Amino acid sequence: MNKNLTNSILFAAVVFTIALTQAGCVKSNNPTPGVVPVISTTDVVKDAADTSAHSGGFITEALTYAVSTYGVCWSATNPTPTTADSKTADSVNYLSYASKMKGLKINTKYYVRAYATNSVGTGYGKVVEFTTGADLTSKVGTVTTFAGNSIAGFVDATGDAASFYSPQGITIGSTGTIYIADAFNSAIRTVTTGGTVNTLTGNGTIGYIDGSLADARFYAPQSLVTDAAGNIYVADFSNNIIRKITPAGVVSTLAGSGTAGYDDGTGAAATFNNPRGIVIDGSGNLYVADRGNNLIRKVTPAGVVTTFAGNRGAAWVNNTTATSASFNKPSGLAINAAGDIYVADALNYSIRKITAAGVVSTYLGDPKHKVIGSPVALTFDAKGNLFIADQTGRVFEITTDKVLLPLAGLSATAGFAEGSGTSALFASPQGVAADASGNLYVTDSGNNRIRKIVLPAL
């Protein structure tokens, strides 16, 4: 981690500690009685060995007294665990926190809830139940190259005869065609199920031109998504716009002016600052990870842009009001069947969750523990499993049973190697997509390749 980033995180921690303390201090002549902290318990995600698990909490109401300790408490026998049961105990650094439960037994049901203590007493969050299973550490993916080679280039061909230049985003259309945001070629490429690569639009020249596929120009596109009608939507990162490509081959600008900024509005009246991730809901609304603004933006089919979550401050703050929460370089998005949006919050080293009601919580990770490295891309498969591209060199799966599986790669070890589990190496994986057959595809940007991962049977 570079010095500036380290200083930024430390500064954020200090700011939040001060804010928390100031919010909790009460003068001796204050007639308002103090109350225990009001807190929410976050989701539980189990480790592959199923003898440890991750959870945490966040304080949901203004404090009357400063919090001295918080954590999670759990029990296999007490359905309403307290701090008299097993617990973690963390010093207060943030309004939100993550904790790791250790020493769990396999195939055992547990009850866990968050707690926070001040001078008045201890407040508890809602109880979350979870059951550990068998050891799944042997369940890893097998990695091969699907298309591309290590030499940066712009060649349409099949398999390793094709070439890319820092491929970033990836999505799979309804027919099985893979679409690639080939960033440094400023092009949108397609890959057939047989591994044949073609260029859909863009010719390797940087620009901002709407029009036909042959005439259109992009500037380092980062991610893309398709809708049910076959339209493709592109987060055109360095042009700061959202583009639309119709099945008839017409490229237009759905939203954004081409100038970096932060404005809600319609079409060109709206502005973005390096839009990175993009997903679409069942109603055709787009959600954009506006990385430079630390926001999640919503774009309707008519091009109306609003701020869905975040407040532009670079921080790690969960909140029951989406626009009061904070992110730090949100980079990838995924949406589940229930309409919940998951955010790869890269410099908070975490996966955040935004419910349809606008509650922002941390699903896994935090700035301190960095369980999943620096996540930059997410996708769900048809079964509801969540996959994560960690740009430090790994690919993870969180199963529908909420078990975290390190599928392939090594943290902070860039390289190129085919193989299974930690024998495989990536160089800054940036995108991830799952097909209907249960295979995973990864844009391995530093290796200029599209990698295929055959998933383990669970």
Side-chain angles (χ1 to χ4, degrees):
M1 182 182 296
N2 65 46
K3 183 176 180 181
N4 290 337
L5 175 55
T6 304
N7 290 339
S8 298
I9 293 174
L10 292 174
F11 176 74
V14 171
V15 169
F16 277 94
T17 303
I18 293 170
L20 192 61
T21 303
Q22 289 177 340
C25 293
V26 177
K27 295 181 180 179
S28 59
N29 61 355
N30 190 337
T32 304
V35 296
V36 298
V38 179
I39 194 166
S40 177
T41 308
T42 58
D43 287 295
V44 174
V45 176
K46 298 167 285 185
D47 286 321
D50 253 345
T51 57
S52 58
H54 306 267
S55 184
F58 63 98
I59 294 165
T60 60
E61 294 187 10
L63 298 167
T64 55
Y65 286 91
V67 170
S68 57
T69 306
Y70 52 30
V72 296
C73 51
W74 69 94
S75 173
T77 57
N78 182 3
T80 53
T82 70
T83 53
D85 296 300
S86 299
K87 69 178 187 295
T88 63
D90 301 303
S91 299
V92 175
N93 288 314
Y94 302 97
L95 292 171
S96 310
Y97 64 92
S99 297
K100 184 173 183 177
M101 296 170 276
K102 300 179 180 180
L104 304 177
K105 297 179 180 179
I106 63 172
N107 300 314
T108 302
K109 183 177 181 177
Y110 286 94
Y111 307 90
V112 62
R113 58 178 173 170
Y115 77 88
T117 301
N118 63 12
S119 60
V120 179
T122 299
Y124 293 94
K126 182 180 178 181
V127 174
V128 175
E129 299 179 10
F130 70 99
T131 301
T132 58
D135 186 340
L136 298 180
T137 52
S138 64
K139 301 296 185 178
V140 297
T142 300
V143 182
T144 57
T145 294
F146 187 63
N149 59 75
S150 293
I151 300 173
F154 192 9
V155 177
D156 288 343
T158 299
D160 61 7
S163 59
F164 302 88
Y165 192 3
S166 190
Q168 299 284 314
I170 182 170
T171 194
I172 300 176
S174 59
T175 63
T177 298
I178 299 171
Y179 297 89
I180 307 292
D182 193 1
F184 287 1
N185 280 323
S186 292
I188 307 302
R189 315 286 292 280
T190 64
V191 189
T192 68
T193 55
T196 299
V197 179
N198 290 290
T199 299
L200 178 66
T201 184
N203 69 351
T205 302
I206 291 171
Y208 173 24
I209 300 173
D210 287 335
S212 68
L213 295 177
D215 292 337
R217 298 291 180 267
F218 300 82
Y219 190 177
Q222 294 284 306
S223 61
L224 65 180
V225 68
T226 61
D227 67 12
N231 297 297
I232 305 167
Y233 299 90
V234 181
D236 195 351
F237 185 80
S238 294
N239 277 325
N240 299 297
I241 51 178
I242 307 302
R243 312 290 287 277
K244 179 180 180 179
I245 306 172
T246 69
V250 177
V251 180
S252 61
T253 299
L254 178 66
S257 67
T259 300
Y262 165 61
D263 294 286
D264 288 338
T266 301
T271 54
F272 300 87
N273 187 0
N274 294 149
R276 174 57 170 78
I278 188 168
V279 292
I280 191 166
D281 68 14
S283 299
N285 298 300
L286 299 172
Y287 296 86
V288 178
D290 191 358
R291 193 175 191 272
N293 282 321
N294 296 305
L295 298 173
I296 310 303
R297 314 287 289 279
K298 179 179 179 179
V299 186
T300 71
V304 179
V305 179
T306 55
T307 297
F308 183 68
N311 62 12
R312 300 189 72 198
W316 182 53
V317 179
N318 295 317
N319 204 286
T320 55
T321 302
T323 52
S324 295
S326 297
F327 302 88
N328 193 355
K329 297 298 180 283
S331 297
L333 301 174
I335 189 166
N336 67 9
D340 299 319
I341 295 172
Y342 290 73
V343 182
D345 197 1
L347 294 191
N348 277 325
Y349 310 98
S350 62
I351 305 300
R352 313 288 291 281
K353 178 181 176 181
I354 311 171
T355 68
V359 176
V360 179
S361 62
T362 297
Y363 186 61
L364 180 65
D366 69 294
K368 179 180 178 182
H369 299 99
K370 302 176 185 176
V371 175
I372 47 175
S374 181
V376 289
L378 307 170
T379 194
F380 281 99
D381 68 10
K383 297 178 181 178
N385 300 297
L386 178 64
F387 299 92
I388 305 164
D390 163 25
Q391 65 182 347
T392 72
R394 295 174 293 179
V395 178
F396 294 94
E397 176 182 358
I398 299 179
T399 70
T400 54
D401 194 36
K402 296 184 179 179
V403 178
L404 177 67
L405 302 179
L407 290 175
L410 283 171
S411 176
T413 306
F416 171 70
E418 314 278 34
S420 299
T422 55
S423 296
L425 293 178
F426 302 89
S428 190
Q430 292 292 318
V432 61
D435 70 13
S437 300
N439 300 301
L440 201 65
Y441 297 87
V442 177
T443 49
D444 189 0
S445 66
N447 284 318
N448 300 302
R449 296 171 183 255
I450 310 304
R451 312 288 290 277
K452 179 180 179 179
I453 303 179
V454 176
L455 300 174
L458 299 177

